[in-house]
Amino acid sequence: MDLLSIETLTALFAVGLVAGFVDAIAGGGGLLTLPALLWAGLSPAQALATNKLQSSFGSLSAAVKFTRGGEVRPRDMAVMIACTFAGSAAGAIIVQMIDPGFLRNVIPVLLIGIAIWLLVSPKAGEIDAQQRIGERGFALLAGTGIGFYDGFFGPGTGTFFAIAFVSLLGFNLRKATAHTKVLNFTSNIAALLFFLAGGQIAWLAGLLMGVGQMIGAQIGAHMVIRNGAAIVRPMLVVASIAITAKLIWTDAQNVIGAGMAMVAGWLG
């Protein structure tokens, strides 16, 4: 690909900063970064690979901030981390063999369900609640499953992890968000390793966005530590609805494009 201009690189840095902030609080930053990379002229494969690189910086930055703030202890999450890594690696391998499009029919329904649940349950996630599953069971179910999803498809991974921690382990939203960033970083790195092998990463764009991600993630994580559920809940609702809208709009564009191509073929 051609070298990116200073103006384009500056815009990508700014997008990375905003996405890092959003991701640290509720997930969904990929809705900003992936379209931005495509807009910059990267091919879909390059955009996906570069997106994993830059998002790894943001998730690492947030995880470090939460760890240093005493919100999470990664050592106690060893089994969850291992299962998430394995799941994401498997997803990244399998996505290269089959079409991930079928997931698009399921994900919007799940995300809308999350938004509705948060809206109608005003106390959900404000305090620790009843634990419904053991931590090893959570690691196998949520760690492996959501990790696989991130390696295979991706949008909304942080949102899914946060809700899993709240609904299955009974964590409050602040605690869930802190633990989410550790697993999000794990799944990012696992998938990134397989993109590295493919040689599709645009390094300058990815590293520059990564710096923006780190700065934004530090600010977002600080706000979570200070404000807890008061900021996480509305951001989760917005992220769930935005991701759903993006997926539905993309599908609509694909349908319209296919229809126009068909008509053009009929008209010769």
Side-chain angles (χ1 to χ4, degrees):
M1 60 170 293
D2 297 331
L3 291 177
L4 300 177
S5 68
I6 296 297
E7 292 78 9
T8 299
L9 290 172
T10 301
L12 290 177
F13 170 82
V15 171
L17 192 151
V18 175
F21 173 80
V22 172
D23 252 338
I25 298 174
L31 289 176
L32 302 173
T33 56
L34 196 54
L37 288 166
L38 291 169
W39 162 81
L42 276 66
S43 69
Q46 289 173 325
L48 286 169
T50 306
N51 190 54
K52 279 301 178 188
L53 171 64
Q54 63 88 32
S55 62
S56 296
F57 281 83
S59 55
L60 173 61
S61 178
V64 169
K65 177 73 173 181
F66 284 124
T67 299
R68 289 180 174 174
E71 301 291 327
V72 60
R73 297 178 58 185
R75 183 180 302 178
D76 296 339
M77 300 174 64
V79 178
M80 294 181 193
I81 291 172
C83 287
T84 300
F85 188 96
S88 182
I93 293 171
I94 293 176
V95 74
Q96 301 175 58
M97 304 176 182
I98 63 175
D99 179 12
F102 74 93
L103 279 177
R104 307 182 74 88
N105 298 322
V106 178
I107 301 308
V109 176
L110 294 177
L111 289 169
I112 286 296
I114 289 171
I116 293 174
W117 177 65
L118 288 169
L119 288 171
V120 302
S121 303
K123 296 297 182 181
E126 291 187 5
I127 59 175
D128 287 343
Q130 180 180 357
Q131 182 175 337
R132 294 178 172 84
I133 190 174
E135 291 193 3
R136 289 183 180 274
F138 179 90
L140 289 171
L141 179 64
T144 305
I146 300 175
F148 177 88
Y149 168 76
D150 193 27
F152 189 87
F153 191 58
T157 296
T159 305
F160 284 130
F161 268 130
I163 296 303
F165 275 114
V166 171
S167 59
L168 297 178
L169 290 185
F171 286 9
N172 63 63
L173 279 173
R174 185 169 112 177
K175 185 176 179 181
T177 302
H179 285 70
T180 285
K181 298 325 293 179
V182 174
L183 297 188
N184 217 164
F185 172 67
T186 300
S187 62
N188 281 338
I189 287 297
L192 177 61
L193 291 175
F194 290 91
F195 283 119
L196 280 170
Q200 295 286 346
I201 297 175
W203 286 99
L204 181 57
L207 292 174
L208 192 61
M209 291 183 77
V211 173
Q213 278 267 358
M214 292 181 70
I215 297 171
Q218 287 287 307
I219 298 172
H222 176 74
M223 293 190 68
V224 171
I225 293 172
R226 187 178 64 185
N227 299 301
I231 187 171
V232 178
R233 178 195 306 284
M235 288 290 284
L236 276 174
V237 172
V238 171
S240 297
I241 294 174
I243 295 167
T244 302
K246 171 64 177 174
L247 293 176
I248 292 174
W249 173 243
T250 300
D251 283 342
Q253 287 182 310
N254 291 339
V255 171
I256 293 171
M260 292 179 66
M262 185 179 297
V263 172
W266 288 342
L267 296 177

PDB file of all heavy atoms in Angstrom, residues 164-185:
ATOM      1  N   ALA A 164     -20.647 -10.879  31.099  1.00  0.00           N
ATOM      2  CA  ALA A 164     -20.442 -12.234  31.621  1.00  0.00           C
ATOM      3  C   ALA A 164     -19.974 -12.184  33.072  1.00  0.00           C
ATOM      4  O   ALA A 164     -20.436 -12.966  33.919  1.00  0.00           O
ATOM      5  CB  ALA A 164     -19.417 -12.981  30.758  1.00  0.00           C
ATOM      6  N   PHE A 165     -19.067 -11.279  33.376  1.00  0.00           N
ATOM      7  CA  PHE A 165     -18.592 -11.149  34.753  1.00  0.00           C
ATOM      8  C   PHE A 165     -19.728 -10.731  35.692  1.00  0.00           C
ATOM      9  O   PHE A 165     -19.818 -11.207  36.826  1.00  0.00           O
ATOM     10  CB  PHE A 165     -17.453 -10.126  34.827  1.00  0.00           C
ATOM     11  CG  PHE A 165     -16.099 -10.694  34.533  1.00  0.00           C
ATOM     12  CD1 PHE A 165     -15.400 -10.304  33.400  1.00  0.00           C
ATOM     13  CD2 PHE A 165     -15.509 -11.617  35.383  1.00  0.00           C
ATOM     14  CE1 PHE A 165     -14.148 -10.825  33.112  1.00  0.00           C
ATOM     15  CE2 PHE A 165     -14.249 -12.147  35.115  1.00  0.00           C
ATOM     16  CZ  PHE A 165     -13.568 -11.748  33.976  1.00  0.00           C
ATOM     17  N   VAL A 166     -20.584  -9.823  35.223  1.00  0.00           N
ATOM     18  CA  VAL A 166     -21.698  -9.359  36.054  1.00  0.00           C
ATOM     19  C   VAL A 166     -22.735 -10.464  36.244  1.00  0.00           C
ATOM     20  O   VAL A 166     -23.174 -10.739  37.364  1.00  0.00           O
ATOM     21  CB  VAL A 166     -22.357  -8.114  35.418  1.00  0.00           C
ATOM     22  CG1 VAL A 166     -23.657  -7.758  36.153  1.00  0.00           C
ATOM     23  CG2 VAL A 166     -21.406  -6.929  35.451  1.00  0.00           C
ATOM     24  N   SER A 167     -23.153 -11.097  35.148  1.00  0.00           N
ATOM     25  CA  SER A 167     -24.271 -12.042  35.207  1.00  0.00           C
ATOM     26  C   SER A 167     -23.883 -13.423  35.733  1.00  0.00           C
ATOM     27  O   SER A 167     -24.713 -14.108  36.347  1.00  0.00           O
ATOM     28  CB  SER A 167     -24.903 -12.184  33.818  1.00  0.00           C
ATOM     29  OG  SER A 167     -23.947 -12.648  32.880  1.00  0.00           O
ATOM     30  N   LEU A 168     -22.635 -13.846  35.513  1.00  0.00           N
ATOM     31  CA  LEU A 168     -22.236 -15.195  35.911  1.00  0.00           C
ATOM     32  C   LEU A 168     -21.451 -15.236  37.225  1.00  0.00           C
ATOM     33  O   LEU A 168     -21.647 -16.131  38.048  1.00  0.00           O
ATOM     34  CB  LEU A 168     -21.400 -15.855  34.809  1.00  0.00           C
ATOM     35  CG  LEU A 168     -22.116 -16.081  33.468  1.00  0.00           C
ATOM     36  CD1 LEU A 168     -21.168 -16.699  32.454  1.00  0.00           C
ATOM     37  CD2 LEU A 168     -23.338 -16.973  33.656  1.00  0.00           C
ATOM     38  N   LEU A 169     -20.563 -14.254  37.424  1.00  0.00           N
ATOM     39  CA  LEU A 169     -19.771 -14.241  38.657  1.00  0.00           C
ATOM     40  C   LEU A 169     -20.293 -13.243  39.684  1.00  0.00           C
ATOM     41  O   LEU A 169     -19.791 -13.188  40.807  1.00  0.00           O
ATOM     42  CB  LEU A 169     -18.305 -13.927  38.333  1.00  0.00           C
ATOM     43  CG  LEU A 169     -17.532 -15.027  37.593  1.00  0.00           C
ATOM     44  CD1 LEU A 169     -16.066 -14.636  37.443  1.00  0.00           C
ATOM     45  CD2 LEU A 169     -17.642 -16.369  38.315  1.00  0.00           C
ATOM     46  N   GLY A 170     -21.286 -12.430  39.280  1.00  0.00           N
ATOM     47  CA  GLY A 170     -21.887 -11.505  40.231  1.00  0.00           C
ATOM     48  C   GLY A 170     -21.056 -10.282  40.533  1.00  0.00           C
ATOM     49  O   GLY A 170     -21.270  -9.611  41.546  1.00  0.00           O
ATOM     50  N   PHE A 171     -20.088  -9.948  39.669  1.00  0.00           N
ATOM     51  CA  PHE A 171     -19.241  -8.780  39.891  1.00  0.00           C
ATOM     52  C   PHE A 171     -20.036  -7.492  39.683  1.00  0.00           C
ATOM     53  O   PHE A 171     -20.978  -7.452  38.900  1.00  0.00           O
ATOM     54  CB  PHE A 171     -18.068  -8.765  38.902  1.00  0.00           C
ATOM     55  CG  PHE A 171     -16.987  -9.782  39.202  1.00  0.00           C
ATOM     56  CD1 PHE A 171     -17.152 -10.755  40.162  1.00  0.00           C
ATOM     57  CD2 PHE A 171     -15.791  -9.748  38.506  1.00  0.00           C
ATOM     58  CE1 PHE A 171     -16.163 -11.686  40.439  1.00  0.00           C
ATOM     59  CE2 PHE A 171     -14.792 -10.667  38.758  1.00  0.00           C
ATOM     60  CZ  PHE A 171     -14.968 -11.637  39.722  1.00  0.00           C
ATOM     61  N   ASN A 172     -19.650  -6.431  40.408  1.00  0.00           N
ATOM     62  CA  ASN A 172     -20.189  -5.122  40.074  1.00  0.00           C
ATOM     63  C   ASN A 172     -19.510  -4.648  38.787  1.00  0.00           C
ATOM     64  O   ASN A 172     -18.490  -5.197  38.364  1.00  0.00           O
ATOM     65  CB  ASN A 172     -19.999  -4.124  41.227  1.00  0.00           C
ATOM     66  CG  ASN A 172     -18.534  -3.870  41.538  1.00  0.00           C
ATOM     67  OD1 ASN A 172     -17.790  -3.357  40.706  1.00  0.00           O
ATOM     68  ND2 ASN A 172     -18.102  -4.229  42.742  1.00  0.00           N
ATOM     69  N   LEU A 173     -20.069  -3.613  38.144  1.00  0.00           N
ATOM     70  CA  LEU A 173     -19.579  -3.202  36.833  1.00  0.00           C
ATOM     71  C   LEU A 173     -18.144  -2.676  36.866  1.00  0.00           C
ATOM     72  O   LEU A 173     -17.381  -2.870  35.915  1.00  0.00           O
ATOM     73  CB  LEU A 173     -20.501  -2.135  36.238  1.00  0.00           C
ATOM     74  CG  LEU A 173     -21.782  -2.678  35.580  1.00  0.00           C
ATOM     75  CD1 LEU A 173     -22.696  -1.529  35.184  1.00  0.00           C
ATOM     76  CD2 LEU A 173     -21.442  -3.526  34.364  1.00  0.00           C
ATOM     77  N   ARG A 174     -17.766  -2.021  37.926  1.00  0.00           N
ATOM     78  CA  ARG A 174     -16.391  -1.528  38.024  1.00  0.00           C
ATOM     79  C   ARG A 174     -15.402  -2.689  38.082  1.00  0.00           C
ATOM     80  O   ARG A 174     -14.404  -2.705  37.348  1.00  0.00           O
ATOM     81  CB  ARG A 174     -16.254  -0.647  39.273  1.00  0.00           C
ATOM     82  CG  ARG A 174     -14.884   0.001  39.391  1.00  0.00           C
ATOM     83  CD  ARG A 174     -14.890   1.056  40.477  1.00  0.00           C
ATOM     84  NE  ARG A 174     -14.059   0.644  41.599  1.00  0.00           N
ATOM     85  CZ  ARG A 174     -13.841   1.411  42.668  1.00  0.00           C
ATOM     86  NH1 ARG A 174     -14.421   2.587  42.759  1.00  0.00           N
ATOM     87  NH2 ARG A 174     -13.062   1.008  43.639  1.00  0.00           N
ATOM     88  N   LYS A 175     -15.707  -3.656  38.923  1.00  0.00           N
ATOM     89  CA  LYS A 175     -14.855  -4.831  39.052  1.00  0.00           C
ATOM     90  C   LYS A 175     -14.862  -5.650  37.762  1.00  0.00           C
ATOM     91  O   LYS A 175     -13.829  -6.164  37.322  1.00  0.00           O
ATOM     92  CB  LYS A 175     -15.372  -5.683  40.223  1.00  0.00           C
ATOM     93  CG  LYS A 175     -14.527  -6.892  40.576  1.00  0.00           C
ATOM     94  CD  LYS A 175     -15.118  -7.568  41.810  1.00  0.00           C
ATOM     95  CE  LYS A 175     -14.328  -8.812  42.208  1.00  0.00           C
ATOM     96  NZ  LYS A 175     -14.943  -9.467  43.400  1.00  0.00           N
ATOM     97  N   ALA A 176     -16.042  -5.762  37.133  1.00  0.00           N
ATOM     98  CA  ALA A 176     -16.160  -6.516  35.884  1.00  0.00           C
ATOM     99  C   ALA A 176     -15.335  -5.868  34.781  1.00  0.00           C
ATOM    100  O   ALA A 176     -14.663  -6.558  34.001  1.00  0.00           O
ATOM    101  CB  ALA A 176     -17.628  -6.595  35.463  1.00  0.00           C
ATOM    102  N   THR A 177     -15.375  -4.541  34.693  1.00  0.00           N
ATOM    103  CA  THR A 177     -14.629  -3.828  33.663  1.00  0.00           C
ATOM    104  C   THR A 177     -13.132  -4.028  33.834  1.00  0.00           C
ATOM    105  O   THR A 177     -12.399  -4.222  32.857  1.00  0.00           O
ATOM    106  CB  THR A 177     -14.962  -2.333  33.694  1.00  0.00           C
ATOM    107  OG1 THR A 177     -16.373  -2.154  33.510  1.00  0.00           O
ATOM    108  CG2 THR A 177     -14.226  -1.579  32.606  1.00  0.00           C
ATOM    109  N   ALA A 178     -12.651  -3.991  35.072  1.00  0.00           N
ATOM    110  CA  ALA A 178     -11.226  -4.196  35.337  1.00  0.00           C
ATOM    111  C   ALA A 178     -10.782  -5.583  34.895  1.00  0.00           C
ATOM    112  O   ALA A 178      -9.752  -5.746  34.221  1.00  0.00           O
ATOM    113  CB  ALA A 178     -10.950  -4.001  36.834  1.00  0.00           C
ATOM    114  N   HIS A 179     -11.548  -6.616  35.250  1.00  0.00           N
ATOM    115  CA  HIS A 179     -11.205  -7.987  34.869  1.00  0.00           C
ATOM    116  C   HIS A 179     -11.345  -8.190  33.351  1.00  0.00           C
ATOM    117  O   HIS A 179     -10.592  -8.958  32.746  1.00  0.00           O
ATOM    118  CB  HIS A 179     -12.088  -8.983  35.619  1.00  0.00           C
ATOM    119  CG  HIS A 179     -11.705  -9.161  37.061  1.00  0.00           C
ATOM    120  ND1 HIS A 179     -11.895  -8.177  38.005  1.00  0.00           N
ATOM    121  CD2 HIS A 179     -11.123 -10.209  37.713  1.00  0.00           C
ATOM    122  CE1 HIS A 179     -11.455  -8.613  39.182  1.00  0.00           C
ATOM    123  NE2 HIS A 179     -10.977  -9.825  39.028  1.00  0.00           N
ATOM    124  N   THR A 180     -12.302  -7.492  32.766  1.00  0.00           N
ATOM    125  CA  THR A 180     -12.514  -7.595  31.317  1.00  0.00           C
ATOM    126  C   THR A 180     -11.276  -7.181  30.542  1.00  0.00           C
ATOM    127  O   THR A 180     -10.904  -7.820  29.552  1.00  0.00           O
ATOM    128  CB  THR A 180     -13.704  -6.705  30.895  1.00  0.00           C
ATOM    129  OG1 THR A 180     -14.922  -7.340  31.299  1.00  0.00           O
ATOM    130  CG2 THR A 180     -13.734  -6.498  29.382  1.00  0.00           C
ATOM    131  N   LYS A 181     -10.608  -6.108  30.960  1.00  0.00           N
ATOM    132  CA  LYS A 181      -9.471  -5.604  30.190  1.00  0.00           C
ATOM    133  C   LYS A 181      -8.319  -6.595  30.199  1.00  0.00           C
ATOM    134  O   LYS A 181      -7.559  -6.679  29.224  1.00  0.00           O
ATOM    135  CB  LYS A 181      -9.005  -4.256  30.712  1.00  0.00           C
ATOM    136  CG  LYS A 181     -10.034  -3.138  30.633  1.00  0.00           C
ATOM    137  CD  LYS A 181     -10.931  -3.215  29.415  1.00  0.00           C
ATOM    138  CE  LYS A 181     -10.239  -2.992  28.098  1.00  0.00           C
ATOM    139  NZ  LYS A 181     -11.170  -3.100  26.947  1.00  0.00           N
ATOM    140  N   VAL A 182      -8.158  -7.370  31.263  1.00  0.00           N
ATOM    141  CA  VAL A 182      -7.106  -8.394  31.297  1.00  0.00           C
ATOM    142  C   VAL A 182      -7.385  -9.465  30.254  1.00  0.00           C
ATOM    143  O   VAL A 182      -6.492  -9.870  29.493  1.00  0.00           O
ATOM    144  CB  VAL A 182      -7.001  -9.023  32.699  1.00  0.00           C
ATOM    145  CG1 VAL A 182      -6.001 -10.183  32.692  1.00  0.00           C
ATOM    146  CG2 VAL A 182      -6.577  -7.971  33.731  1.00  0.00           C
ATOM    147  N   LEU A 183      -8.633  -9.926  30.196  1.00  0.00           N
ATOM    148  CA  LEU A 183      -8.984 -10.970  29.230  1.00  0.00           C
ATOM    149  C   LEU A 183      -9.036 -10.408  27.808  1.00  0.00           C
ATOM    150  O   LEU A 183      -8.703 -11.116  26.850  1.00  0.00           O
ATOM    151  CB  LEU A 183     -10.327 -11.601  29.602  1.00  0.00           C
ATOM    152  CG  LEU A 183     -10.365 -12.334  30.944  1.00  0.00           C
ATOM    153  CD1 LEU A 183     -11.688 -13.082  31.110  1.00  0.00           C
ATOM    154  CD2 LEU A 183      -9.192 -13.315  31.077  1.00  0.00           C
ATOM    155  N   ASN A 184      -9.441  -9.153  27.664  1.00  0.00           N
ATOM    156  CA  ASN A 184      -9.476  -8.520  26.347  1.00  0.00           C
ATOM    157  C   ASN A 184      -8.059  -8.410  25.765  1.00  0.00           C
ATOM    158  O   ASN A 184      -7.835  -8.662  24.572  1.00  0.00           O
ATOM    159  CB  ASN A 184     -10.105  -7.132  26.456  1.00  0.00           C
ATOM    160  CG  ASN A 184     -10.966  -6.781  25.264  1.00  0.00           C
ATOM    161  OD1 ASN A 184     -11.755  -5.854  25.305  1.00  0.00           O
ATOM    162  ND2 ASN A 184     -10.834  -7.508  24.149  1.00  0.00           N
ATOM    163  N   PHE A 185      -7.105  -8.053  26.613  1.00  0.00           N
ATOM    164  CA  PHE A 185      -5.714  -7.989  26.171  1.00  0.00           C
ATOM    165  C   PHE A 185      -5.222  -9.375  25.768  1.00  0.00           C
ATOM    166  O   PHE A 185      -4.530  -9.539  24.753  1.00  0.00           O
ATOM    167  CB  PHE A 185      -4.830  -7.419  27.273  1.00  0.00           C
ATOM    168  CG  PHE A 185      -3.353  -7.492  26.963  1.00  0.00           C
ATOM    169  CD1 PHE A 185      -2.815  -6.734  25.932  1.00  0.00           C
ATOM    170  CD2 PHE A 185      -2.519  -8.322  27.687  1.00  0.00           C
ATOM    171  CE1 PHE A 185      -1.455  -6.803  25.634  1.00  0.00           C
ATOM    172  CE2 PHE A 185      -1.169  -8.406  27.400  1.00  0.00           C
ATOM    173  CZ  PHE A 185      -0.636  -7.640  26.370  1.00  0.00           C
TER     174      PHE A 185
END
